[in-house]
Amino acid sequence: MGRNTASTRYLKIENYEIYNYYFERMINIARSQFTWTGLPETCDPWYLEKVMLNAGKGSIFRVKGSDIWLSTDFVYKTGGLSVYGLPTDICGVGANKGPIETDEWEIMWDNKTHTSLLPHIRFYAKQLTMLHQTFNLNLKQQNKPTVVVTNDNKLLSNMNFFNEMDEYKPVLYVNSSFNMDAIQTLDLKVDYKGKELLEAMEVVWGRFLSMCGIVPLTSKKERMNNDELVMNRQSDLVSLNSRMEDRLEMCNKLNKNHGFNCAVNLASNIIEQSQFEPFMTISGQMLTDMGDSYSRISYDNVDKNGEEKGVEN
């Protein structure tokens, strides 16, 4: 019972580690997609992108009674809605909560649904975790251990025999009573599906990038299917415009109405940053796809005594 409990706890920690890796990578990519220039020094572009992703909205406003401009989340004031459901009056909300009064402000939305992308990112992180653990299980099932049928009297001699094999001795000496037929290989007869599972993980990763409007690098196979490639790129551009349009409109309003000289652009290195990289911190061995060949990488650096906790940013 104790061993099973420890094994279950270890598996849960491993699942959290894998989930958090993909979740945090996607969060970092989504937050790094846009770069801001020309904002006041008191505005924090990183925090602005954080609240945009987490809450689906953000604001840049002047603190009432001062010349300080801030970039935070916002809340509607009671009854302050236009006929189109947009706020006519707001309060800023910072990391320390409490409403921040303002009488000069502009707001924007992260996307056209005016909602947070976090639930979708969690969904893709869960999908990648399930595929990753399925990959691990399929890989472990390729192991074909040697089974030796023996008894207590011959156990030590059999163990010494295999210890000598591990030392790569060219000649092995055994007693005449040694039964070679007692040595068998345990084969679960499970087909290796690692390549297909890795490809499925790349598909899920590509769907996350498409949701953000990031155009991933194309493979040779994708480039050959030109019609499908064009359709995928159009979908990516629609998603990108959904996130970029309100940010550009915010800059235009700030420049026109408040004398700013700000701009927002797509990060120049976002495509390179967003390439799929499988999680590499699990117990055992993982077969990493290297094109047409494979290399085996060993690692085991998960703390078995770690706390079971997720990461929510």
Side-chain angles (χ1 to χ4, degrees):
M1 181 67 71
R3 294 183 63 182
N4 290 337
T5 301
S7 177
T8 300
R9 176 179 171 79
Y10 181 71
L11 180 59
K12 287 182 178 180
I13 295 174
E14 185 175 82
N15 286 337
Y16 273 123
E17 291 282 348
I18 296 171
Y19 172 83
N20 287 340
Y21 169 78
Y22 290 117
F23 180 76
E24 289 182 343
R25 267 213 80 202
M26 288 187 282
I27 289 291
N28 285 328
I29 289 170
R31 287 182 185 171
S32 304
Q33 192 172 351
F34 304 102
T35 58
W36 294 79
T37 57
L39 293 176
E41 292 184 0
T42 49
C43 291
D44 187 342
W46 174 85
Y47 188 79
L48 180 60
E49 285 298 328
K50 176 183 178 180
V51 298
M52 289 282 283
L53 184 65
N54 289 8
K57 57 186 173 64
S59 64
I60 295 179
F61 60 90
R62 183 178 62 82
V63 178
K64 190 173 182 179
S66 76
D67 294 327
I68 298 175
W69 286 81
L70 299 177
S71 53
T72 71
D73 192 4
F74 69 91
V75 292
Y76 297 27
K77 280 193 173 180
T78 305
L81 287 179
S82 72
V83 67
Y84 299 111
L86 299 175
T88 58
D89 201 2
I90 69 166
C91 283
V93 180
N96 56 356
K97 304 302 179 183
I100 306 172
E101 294 292 334
T102 177
D103 53 11
E104 191 174 354
W105 50 270
E106 298 294 346
I107 64 170
M108 60 180 169
W109 311 94
D110 184 56
N111 52 70
K112 292 302 179 184
T113 60
H114 294 192
T115 56
S116 170
L117 292 183
L118 278 183
H120 306 292
I121 291 177
R122 292 192 187 98
F123 169 77
Y124 288 125
K126 290 176 183 177
Q127 290 290 309
L128 287 166
T129 301
M130 286 189 291
L131 284 168
H132 193 109
Q133 288 294 55
T134 303
F135 174 92
N136 289 340
L137 178 61
N138 181 254
L139 181 61
K140 291 175 182 177
Q141 289 171 338
Q142 306 311 304
N143 184 33
K144 300 175 183 178
T146 301
V147 178
V148 181
V149 180
T150 185
N151 54 45
D152 291 342
N153 295 330
K154 296 181 178 180
L155 178 61
L156 181 60
S157 60
N158 284 326
M159 292 177 62
N160 290 334
F161 173 79
F162 283 97
N163 286 336
E164 290 180 353
M165 283 184 58
D166 288 341
E167 295 173 359
Y168 299 98
K169 289 189 176 181
V171 180
L172 301 176
Y173 299 96
V174 297
N175 189 284
S176 58
S177 63
F178 189 85
N179 183 10
M180 294 295 295
D181 294 333
I183 302 176
Q184 302 176 17
T185 299
L186 179 61
D187 187 353
L188 297 179
K189 302 185 185 303
V190 177
D191 293 336
Y192 176 67
K193 298 294 183 180
K195 187 173 183 179
E196 291 90 334
L197 288 166
L198 284 171
E199 289 174 350
M201 292 172 72
E202 291 187 8
V203 169
V204 174
W205 187 260
R207 288 176 179 170
F208 155 70
L209 295 180
S210 181
M211 176 188 71
C212 294
I214 299 173
V215 180
L217 296 176
T218 58
S219 64
K220 181 178 180 181
K221 181 179 179 181
E222 288 176 317
R223 289 192 293 271
M224 291 174 65
N225 192 344
N226 189 60
D227 291 340
E228 182 178 349
L229 183 61
V230 170
M231 291 182 63
N232 289 340
R233 294 300 168 266
Q234 289 176 341
S235 175
D236 295 339
L237 289 174
V238 169
S239 297
L240 174 60
N241 289 337
S242 170
R243 301 194 70 208
M244 187 66 152
E245 189 173 303
D246 252 38
R247 288 168 170 82
L248 289 173
E249 186 178 348
M250 164 75 93
C251 286
N252 292 335
K253 289 180 178 179
L254 288 170
N255 294 341
K256 180 181 178 180
N257 301 334
H258 308 284
F260 282 42
N261 185 25
C262 62
V264 61
N265 294 285
L266 185 66
S268 59
N269 61 344
I270 191 65
I271 295 178
E272 290 77 10
Q273 289 183 1
S274 60
Q275 294 311 296
F276 177 67
E277 296 177 3
F279 180 68
M280 299 298 289
T281 311
I282 54 175
S283 176
Q285 292 184 320
M286 176 175 178
L287 204 61
T288 302
D289 191 357
M290 302 293 288
D292 295 329
S293 62
Y294 295 89
S295 64
R296 192 173 294 276
I297 303 174
S298 298
Y299 45 89
D300 188 3
N301 50 355
V302 176
D303 183 4
K304 296 182 180 181
N305 297 319
E307 293 296 326
E308 298 179 13
K309 61 181 180 180
V311 174
E312 297 292 338
N313 293 322

PDB file of all heavy atoms in Angstrom, residues 124-152:
ATOM      1  N   TYR A 124      -5.075  23.524 -23.952  1.00  0.00           N
ATOM      2  CA  TYR A 124      -3.976  23.022 -24.776  1.00  0.00           C
ATOM      3  C   TYR A 124      -2.875  22.412 -23.911  1.00  0.00           C
ATOM      4  O   TYR A 124      -2.251  21.417 -24.302  1.00  0.00           O
ATOM      5  CB  TYR A 124      -3.404  24.145 -25.649  1.00  0.00           C
ATOM      6  CG  TYR A 124      -4.327  24.539 -26.786  1.00  0.00           C
ATOM      7  CD1 TYR A 124      -4.739  25.857 -26.942  1.00  0.00           C
ATOM      8  CD2 TYR A 124      -4.777  23.591 -27.703  1.00  0.00           C
ATOM      9  CE1 TYR A 124      -5.589  26.224 -27.982  1.00  0.00           C
ATOM     10  CE2 TYR A 124      -5.626  23.947 -28.741  1.00  0.00           C
ATOM     11  CZ  TYR A 124      -6.031  25.266 -28.882  1.00  0.00           C
ATOM     12  OH  TYR A 124      -6.868  25.616 -29.908  1.00  0.00           O
ATOM     13  N   ALA A 125      -2.625  22.988 -22.731  1.00  0.00           N
ATOM     14  CA  ALA A 125      -1.618  22.425 -21.826  1.00  0.00           C
ATOM     15  C   ALA A 125      -2.034  21.023 -21.362  1.00  0.00           C
ATOM     16  O   ALA A 125      -1.203  20.120 -21.257  1.00  0.00           O
ATOM     17  CB  ALA A 125      -1.407  23.341 -20.623  1.00  0.00           C
ATOM     18  N   LYS A 126      -3.327  20.832 -21.087  1.00  0.00           N
ATOM     19  CA  LYS A 126      -3.827  19.512 -20.687  1.00  0.00           C
ATOM     20  C   LYS A 126      -3.697  18.517 -21.829  1.00  0.00           C
ATOM     21  O   LYS A 126      -3.315  17.356 -21.622  1.00  0.00           O
ATOM     22  CB  LYS A 126      -5.282  19.617 -20.226  1.00  0.00           C
ATOM     23  CG  LYS A 126      -5.469  20.341 -18.902  1.00  0.00           C
ATOM     24  CD  LYS A 126      -6.949  20.496 -18.567  1.00  0.00           C
ATOM     25  CE  LYS A 126      -7.138  21.278 -17.270  1.00  0.00           C
ATOM     26  NZ  LYS A 126      -8.585  21.497 -16.971  1.00  0.00           N
ATOM     27  N   GLN A 127      -4.021  18.955 -23.056  1.00  0.00           N
ATOM     28  CA  GLN A 127      -3.894  18.076 -24.218  1.00  0.00           C
ATOM     29  C   GLN A 127      -2.441  17.641 -24.415  1.00  0.00           C
ATOM     30  O   GLN A 127      -2.155  16.462 -24.653  1.00  0.00           O
ATOM     31  CB  GLN A 127      -4.389  18.805 -25.472  1.00  0.00           C
ATOM     32  CG  GLN A 127      -5.896  19.037 -25.518  1.00  0.00           C
ATOM     33  CD  GLN A 127      -6.663  17.742 -25.717  1.00  0.00           C
ATOM     34  OE1 GLN A 127      -6.376  16.965 -26.624  1.00  0.00           O
ATOM     35  NE2 GLN A 127      -7.641  17.503 -24.868  1.00  0.00           N
ATOM     36  N   LEU A 128      -1.516  18.578 -24.300  1.00  0.00           N
ATOM     37  CA  LEU A 128      -0.098  18.261 -24.467  1.00  0.00           C
ATOM     38  C   LEU A 128       0.394  17.334 -23.358  1.00  0.00           C
ATOM     39  O   LEU A 128       1.203  16.431 -23.612  1.00  0.00           O
ATOM     40  CB  LEU A 128       0.728  19.544 -24.482  1.00  0.00           C
ATOM     41  CG  LEU A 128       0.597  20.385 -25.764  1.00  0.00           C
ATOM     42  CD1 LEU A 128       1.181  21.784 -25.548  1.00  0.00           C
ATOM     43  CD2 LEU A 128       1.282  19.696 -26.933  1.00  0.00           C
ATOM     44  N   THR A 129      -0.108  17.528 -22.136  1.00  0.00           N
ATOM     45  CA  THR A 129       0.283  16.663 -21.027  1.00  0.00           C
ATOM     46  C   THR A 129      -0.187  15.235 -21.258  1.00  0.00           C
ATOM     47  O   THR A 129       0.569  14.274 -21.051  1.00  0.00           O
ATOM     48  CB  THR A 129      -0.291  17.194 -19.700  1.00  0.00           C
ATOM     49  OG1 THR A 129       0.193  18.522 -19.474  1.00  0.00           O
ATOM     50  CG2 THR A 129       0.120  16.304 -18.533  1.00  0.00           C
ATOM     51  N   MET A 130      -1.436  15.062 -21.713  1.00  0.00           N
ATOM     52  CA  MET A 130      -1.954  13.719 -21.978  1.00  0.00           C
ATOM     53  C   MET A 130      -1.170  13.036 -23.093  1.00  0.00           C
ATOM     54  O   MET A 130      -0.813  11.855 -22.985  1.00  0.00           O
ATOM     55  CB  MET A 130      -3.444  13.798 -22.321  1.00  0.00           C
ATOM     56  CG  MET A 130      -4.342  14.080 -21.140  1.00  0.00           C
ATOM     57  SD  MET A 130      -6.112  13.904 -21.509  1.00  0.00           S
ATOM     58  CE  MET A 130      -6.371  15.306 -22.596  1.00  0.00           C
ATOM     59  N   LEU A 131      -0.889  13.771 -24.169  1.00  0.00           N
ATOM     60  CA  LEU A 131      -0.117  13.193 -25.269  1.00  0.00           C
ATOM     61  C   LEU A 131       1.300  12.851 -24.813  1.00  0.00           C
ATOM     62  O   LEU A 131       1.851  11.813 -25.194  1.00  0.00           O
ATOM     63  CB  LEU A 131      -0.069  14.172 -26.443  1.00  0.00           C
ATOM     64  CG  LEU A 131      -1.345  14.279 -27.281  1.00  0.00           C
ATOM     65  CD1 LEU A 131      -1.279  15.487 -28.213  1.00  0.00           C
ATOM     66  CD2 LEU A 131      -1.556  13.003 -28.089  1.00  0.00           C
ATOM     67  N   HIS A 132       1.873  13.718 -23.995  1.00  0.00           N
ATOM     68  CA  HIS A 132       3.235  13.498 -23.520  1.00  0.00           C
ATOM     69  C   HIS A 132       3.317  12.242 -22.657  1.00  0.00           C
ATOM     70  O   HIS A 132       4.226  11.414 -22.820  1.00  0.00           O
ATOM     71  CB  HIS A 132       3.698  14.710 -22.713  1.00  0.00           C
ATOM     72  CG  HIS A 132       5.167  14.724 -22.445  1.00  0.00           C
ATOM     73  ND1 HIS A 132       6.031  15.597 -23.051  1.00  0.00           N
ATOM     74  CD2 HIS A 132       5.930  13.945 -21.633  1.00  0.00           C
ATOM     75  CE1 HIS A 132       7.260  15.375 -22.635  1.00  0.00           C
ATOM     76  NE2 HIS A 132       7.218  14.384 -21.764  1.00  0.00           N
ATOM     77  N   GLN A 133       2.369  12.073 -21.739  1.00  0.00           N
ATOM     78  CA  GLN A 133       2.377  10.896 -20.874  1.00  0.00           C
ATOM     79  C   GLN A 133       2.035   9.622 -21.655  1.00  0.00           C
ATOM     80  O   GLN A 133       2.520   8.535 -21.326  1.00  0.00           O
ATOM     81  CB  GLN A 133       1.408  11.085 -19.705  1.00  0.00           C
ATOM     82  CG  GLN A 133       1.885  12.076 -18.653  1.00  0.00           C
ATOM     83  CD  GLN A 133       3.124  11.596 -17.915  1.00  0.00           C
ATOM     84  OE1 GLN A 133       4.146  11.266 -18.534  1.00  0.00           O
ATOM     85  NE2 GLN A 133       3.046  11.548 -16.596  1.00  0.00           N
ATOM     86  N   THR A 134       1.192   9.755 -22.688  1.00  0.00           N
ATOM     87  CA  THR A 134       0.929   8.605 -23.563  1.00  0.00           C
ATOM     88  C   THR A 134       2.196   8.204 -24.295  1.00  0.00           C
ATOM     89  O   THR A 134       2.496   7.014 -24.455  1.00  0.00           O
ATOM     90  CB  THR A 134      -0.184   8.941 -24.573  1.00  0.00           C
ATOM     91  OG1 THR A 134      -1.361   9.353 -23.877  1.00  0.00           O
ATOM     92  CG2 THR A 134      -0.525   7.730 -25.431  1.00  0.00           C
ATOM     93  N   PHE A 135       2.943   9.204 -24.727  1.00  0.00           N
ATOM     94  CA  PHE A 135       4.247   8.954 -25.364  1.00  0.00           C
ATOM     95  C   PHE A 135       5.172   8.217 -24.406  1.00  0.00           C
ATOM     96  O   PHE A 135       5.828   7.230 -24.774  1.00  0.00           O
ATOM     97  CB  PHE A 135       4.859  10.293 -25.787  1.00  0.00           C
ATOM     98  CG  PHE A 135       6.266  10.193 -26.315  1.00  0.00           C
ATOM     99  CD1 PHE A 135       6.507  10.033 -27.667  1.00  0.00           C
ATOM    100  CD2 PHE A 135       7.355  10.255 -25.455  1.00  0.00           C
ATOM    101  CE1 PHE A 135       7.806   9.929 -28.165  1.00  0.00           C
ATOM    102  CE2 PHE A 135       8.647  10.152 -25.933  1.00  0.00           C
ATOM    103  CZ  PHE A 135       8.879   9.989 -27.293  1.00  0.00           C
ATOM    104  N   ASN A 136       5.243   8.691 -23.156  1.00  0.00           N
ATOM    105  CA  ASN A 136       6.108   8.054 -22.161  1.00  0.00           C
ATOM    106  C   ASN A 136       5.719   6.596 -21.932  1.00  0.00           C
ATOM    107  O   ASN A 136       6.570   5.710 -21.862  1.00  0.00           O
ATOM    108  CB  ASN A 136       6.032   8.812 -20.840  1.00  0.00           C
ATOM    109  CG  ASN A 136       6.717  10.159 -20.903  1.00  0.00           C
ATOM    110  OD1 ASN A 136       7.550  10.394 -21.772  1.00  0.00           O
ATOM    111  ND2 ASN A 136       6.347  11.044 -20.004  1.00  0.00           N
ATOM    112  N   LEU A 137       4.411   6.357 -21.795  1.00  0.00           N
ATOM    113  CA  LEU A 137       3.937   4.998 -21.556  1.00  0.00           C
ATOM    114  C   LEU A 137       4.263   4.102 -22.736  1.00  0.00           C
ATOM    115  O   LEU A 137       4.737   2.972 -22.569  1.00  0.00           O
ATOM    116  CB  LEU A 137       2.420   5.011 -21.303  1.00  0.00           C
ATOM    117  CG  LEU A 137       1.772   3.639 -21.076  1.00  0.00           C
ATOM    118  CD1 LEU A 137       2.370   2.968 -19.840  1.00  0.00           C
ATOM    119  CD2 LEU A 137       0.263   3.795 -20.917  1.00  0.00           C
ATOM    120  N   ASN A 138       4.030   4.590 -23.952  1.00  0.00           N
ATOM    121  CA  ASN A 138       4.327   3.801 -25.147  1.00  0.00           C
ATOM    122  C   ASN A 138       5.815   3.494 -25.244  1.00  0.00           C
ATOM    123  O   ASN A 138       6.215   2.389 -25.627  1.00  0.00           O
ATOM    124  CB  ASN A 138       3.853   4.556 -26.390  1.00  0.00           C
ATOM    125  CG  ASN A 138       4.102   3.778 -27.673  1.00  0.00           C
ATOM    126  OD1 ASN A 138       4.998   4.114 -28.446  1.00  0.00           O
ATOM    127  ND2 ASN A 138       3.319   2.745 -27.903  1.00  0.00           N
ATOM    128  N   LEU A 139       6.647   4.465 -24.867  1.00  0.00           N
ATOM    129  CA  LEU A 139       8.091   4.255 -24.907  1.00  0.00           C
ATOM    130  C   LEU A 139       8.523   3.216 -23.879  1.00  0.00           C
ATOM    131  O   LEU A 139       9.323   2.319 -24.175  1.00  0.00           O
ATOM    132  CB  LEU A 139       8.813   5.578 -24.648  1.00  0.00           C
ATOM    133  CG  LEU A 139      10.345   5.523 -24.683  1.00  0.00           C
ATOM    134  CD1 LEU A 139      10.845   5.081 -26.049  1.00  0.00           C
ATOM    135  CD2 LEU A 139      10.934   6.863 -24.307  1.00  0.00           C
ATOM    136  N   LYS A 140       7.984   3.297 -22.662  1.00  0.00           N
ATOM    137  CA  LYS A 140       8.344   2.338 -21.618  1.00  0.00           C
ATOM    138  C   LYS A 140       7.917   0.920 -21.998  1.00  0.00           C
ATOM    139  O   LYS A 140       8.559  -0.061 -21.613  1.00  0.00           O
ATOM    140  CB  LYS A 140       7.701   2.748 -20.286  1.00  0.00           C
ATOM    141  CG  LYS A 140       8.298   4.019 -19.693  1.00  0.00           C
ATOM    142  CD  LYS A 140       7.544   4.457 -18.445  1.00  0.00           C
ATOM    143  CE  LYS A 140       8.107   5.758 -17.887  1.00  0.00           C
ATOM    144  NZ  LYS A 140       7.348   6.243 -16.711  1.00  0.00           N
ATOM    145  N   GLN A 141       6.821   0.806 -22.767  1.00  0.00           N
ATOM    146  CA  GLN A 141       6.339  -0.512 -23.174  1.00  0.00           C
ATOM    147  C   GLN A 141       7.212  -1.160 -24.243  1.00  0.00           C
ATOM    148  O   GLN A 141       7.018  -2.326 -24.582  1.00  0.00           O
ATOM    149  CB  GLN A 141       4.893  -0.398 -23.665  1.00  0.00           C
ATOM    150  CG  GLN A 141       3.906  -0.117 -22.547  1.00  0.00           C
ATOM    151  CD  GLN A 141       2.513   0.208 -23.065  1.00  0.00           C
ATOM    152  OE1 GLN A 141       2.333   0.621 -24.203  1.00  0.00           O
ATOM    153  NE2 GLN A 141       1.517   0.033 -22.207  1.00  0.00           N
ATOM    154  N   GLN A 142       8.182  -0.393 -24.768  1.00  0.00           N
ATOM    155  CA  GLN A 142       9.127  -0.976 -25.722  1.00  0.00           C
ATOM    156  C   GLN A 142      10.245  -1.730 -25.013  1.00  0.00           C
ATOM    157  O   GLN A 142      11.016  -2.454 -25.641  1.00  0.00           O
ATOM    158  CB  GLN A 142       9.737   0.116 -26.613  1.00  0.00           C
ATOM    159  CG  GLN A 142       8.727   0.982 -27.336  1.00  0.00           C
ATOM    160  CD  GLN A 142       7.658   0.178 -28.037  1.00  0.00           C
ATOM    161  OE1 GLN A 142       7.950  -0.694 -28.865  1.00  0.00           O
ATOM    162  NE2 GLN A 142       6.393   0.477 -27.711  1.00  0.00           N
ATOM    163  N   ASN A 143      10.348  -1.546 -23.702  1.00  0.00           N
ATOM    164  CA  ASN A 143      11.367  -2.247 -22.928  1.00  0.00           C
ATOM    165  C   ASN A 143      11.079  -3.745 -22.925  1.00  0.00           C
ATOM    166  O   ASN A 143       9.939  -4.169 -22.707  1.00  0.00           O
ATOM    167  CB  ASN A 143      11.388  -1.709 -21.492  1.00  0.00           C
ATOM    168  CG  ASN A 143      12.487  -2.327 -20.663  1.00  0.00           C
ATOM    169  OD1 ASN A 143      13.549  -2.651 -21.184  1.00  0.00           O
ATOM    170  ND2 ASN A 143      12.226  -2.510 -19.376  1.00  0.00           N
ATOM    171  N   LYS A 144      12.114  -4.551 -23.176  1.00  0.00           N
ATOM    172  CA  LYS A 144      11.951  -6.008 -23.234  1.00  0.00           C
ATOM    173  C   LYS A 144      12.909  -6.657 -22.239  1.00  0.00           C
ATOM    174  O   LYS A 144      14.009  -7.089 -22.600  1.00  0.00           O
ATOM    175  CB  LYS A 144      12.220  -6.507 -24.653  1.00  0.00           C
ATOM    176  CG  LYS A 144      11.279  -5.913 -25.689  1.00  0.00           C
ATOM    177  CD  LYS A 144      11.641  -6.340 -27.098  1.00  0.00           C
ATOM    178  CE  LYS A 144      10.716  -5.675 -28.122  1.00  0.00           C
ATOM    179  NZ  LYS A 144      11.063  -6.032 -29.507  1.00  0.00           N
ATOM    180  N   PRO A 145      12.503  -6.728 -20.975  1.00  0.00           N
ATOM    181  CA  PRO A 145      13.396  -7.282 -19.946  1.00  0.00           C
ATOM    182  C   PRO A 145      13.592  -8.784 -20.113  1.00  0.00           C
ATOM    183  O   PRO A 145      12.747  -9.482 -20.683  1.00  0.00           O
ATOM    184  CB  PRO A 145      12.665  -6.962 -18.643  1.00  0.00           C
ATOM    185  CG  PRO A 145      11.221  -6.906 -19.038  1.00  0.00           C
ATOM    186  CD  PRO A 145      11.201  -6.334 -20.429  1.00  0.00           C
ATOM    187  N   THR A 146      14.714  -9.264 -19.601  1.00  0.00           N
ATOM    188  CA  THR A 146      15.008 -10.701 -19.611  1.00  0.00           C
ATOM    189  C   THR A 146      14.447 -11.334 -18.344  1.00  0.00           C
ATOM    190  O   THR A 146      14.662 -10.841 -17.239  1.00  0.00           O
ATOM    191  CB  THR A 146      16.519 -10.942 -19.679  1.00  0.00           C
ATOM    192  OG1 THR A 146      17.035 -10.333 -20.863  1.00  0.00           O
ATOM    193  CG2 THR A 146      16.836 -12.428 -19.697  1.00  0.00           C
ATOM    194  N   VAL A 147      13.700 -12.423 -18.521  1.00  0.00           N
ATOM    195  CA  VAL A 147      13.086 -13.132 -17.397  1.00  0.00           C
ATOM    196  C   VAL A 147      13.802 -14.464 -17.223  1.00  0.00           C
ATOM    197  O   VAL A 147      13.970 -15.219 -18.188  1.00  0.00           O
ATOM    198  CB  VAL A 147      11.580 -13.360 -17.647  1.00  0.00           C
ATOM    199  CG1 VAL A 147      10.971 -14.142 -16.483  1.00  0.00           C
ATOM    200  CG2 VAL A 147      10.871 -12.033 -17.832  1.00  0.00           C
ATOM    201  N   VAL A 148      14.244 -14.753 -16.016  1.00  0.00           N
ATOM    202  CA  VAL A 148      14.941 -16.011 -15.724  1.00  0.00           C
ATOM    203  C   VAL A 148      14.135 -16.799 -14.700  1.00  0.00           C
ATOM    204  O   VAL A 148      13.864 -16.301 -13.599  1.00  0.00           O
ATOM    205  CB  VAL A 148      16.359 -15.747 -15.179  1.00  0.00           C
ATOM    206  CG1 VAL A 148      17.076 -17.076 -14.912  1.00  0.00           C
ATOM    207  CG2 VAL A 148      17.152 -14.889 -16.140  1.00  0.00           C
ATOM    208  N   VAL A 149      13.733 -17.987 -15.069  1.00  0.00           N
ATOM    209  CA  VAL A 149      13.031 -18.875 -14.145  1.00  0.00           C
ATOM    210  C   VAL A 149      14.078 -19.616 -13.319  1.00  0.00           C
ATOM    211  O   VAL A 149      14.919 -20.350 -13.871  1.00  0.00           O
ATOM    212  CB  VAL A 149      12.146 -19.874 -14.905  1.00  0.00           C
ATOM    213  CG1 VAL A 149      11.429 -20.798 -13.919  1.00  0.00           C
ATOM    214  CG2 VAL A 149      11.144 -19.135 -15.784  1.00  0.00           C
ATOM    215  N   THR A 150      14.084 -19.434 -12.013  1.00  0.00           N
ATOM    216  CA  THR A 150      15.114 -20.015 -11.160  1.00  0.00           C
ATOM    217  C   THR A 150      14.521 -20.367  -9.798  1.00  0.00           C
ATOM    218  O   THR A 150      13.320 -20.226  -9.568  1.00  0.00           O
ATOM    219  CB  THR A 150      16.299 -19.037 -11.005  1.00  0.00           C
ATOM    220  OG1 THR A 150      17.347 -19.668 -10.272  1.00  0.00           O
ATOM    221  CG2 THR A 150      15.860 -17.757 -10.290  1.00  0.00           C
ATOM    222  N   ASN A 151      15.392 -20.826  -8.913  1.00  0.00           N
ATOM    223  CA  ASN A 151      14.981 -21.110  -7.538  1.00  0.00           C
ATOM    224  C   ASN A 151      16.008 -20.503  -6.591  1.00  0.00           C
ATOM    225  O   ASN A 151      17.016 -19.927  -7.030  1.00  0.00           O
ATOM    226  CB  ASN A 151      14.834 -22.619  -7.305  1.00  0.00           C
ATOM    227  CG  ASN A 151      16.094 -23.383  -7.683  1.00  0.00           C
ATOM    228  OD1 ASN A 151      17.215 -22.970  -7.343  1.00  0.00           O
ATOM    229  ND2 ASN A 151      15.913 -24.505  -8.379  1.00  0.00           N
ATOM    230  N   ASP A 152      15.780 -20.651  -5.302  1.00  0.00           N
ATOM    231  CA  ASP A 152      16.660 -20.022  -4.315  1.00  0.00           C
ATOM    232  C   ASP A 152      18.088 -20.538  -4.419  1.00  0.00           C
ATOM    233  O   ASP A 152      19.053 -19.789  -4.197  1.00  0.00           O
ATOM    234  CB  ASP A 152      16.120 -20.251  -2.903  1.00  0.00           C
ATOM    235  CG  ASP A 152      14.821 -19.476  -2.664  1.00  0.00           C
ATOM    236  OD1 ASP A 152      14.562 -18.536  -3.441  1.00  0.00           O
ATOM    237  OD2 ASP A 152      14.094 -19.813  -1.715  1.00  0.00           O
TER     238      ASP A 152
END
